[in-house]
Amino acid sequence: QDHVCSLPKVPFRGAPCSDAAGSQVPYSTIMKQVNSSLSGLLWDEVQKAPFYEYKDSAGQFHQVWFDDPHSISLKAAYVKSRGLRGIGMWNGNSLDYSREAAAEQQTQAMWQALTP
């Protein structure tokens, strides 16, 4: 079924569906893979987050959910509008800190998105 990716029910800290069923992908990998993916970039309006879909070499269907500068800026603006104390991100070391021009631009945009 399009846009449905089932996760196995792996117990983790009492939650039926958690990160124990998936894996983390570096932002640099996401940025290189999204444009050649099965779906291209998709947007979930409820989660305010981008994702994409692909099939691996074995034909297994995958969804990759992530934050980008747009989704982070929406979350940061929400935090600011509610007078909350701040925002953080899961793993800043997953950004691409190489000297490639595209990577530098993407990484800078991610950090700038944290301060609306």
Side-chain angles (χ1 to χ4, degrees), residues 6-49:
S6 299
L7 292 176
K9 291 188 177 187
V10 178
F12 181 72
R13 298 183 189 170
C17 179
S18 68
D19 65 345
S23 60
Q24 183 173 314
V25 179
Y27 191 68
S28 58
T29 301
I30 290 169
M31 290 295 95
K32 291 174 183 165
Q33 190 177 45
V34 67
N35 290 331
S36 62
S37 68
L38 180 66
S39 65
L41 184 65
L42 300 170
W43 179 262
D44 184 87
E45 190 57 38
V46 174
Q47 301 296 322
K48 304 286 190 226

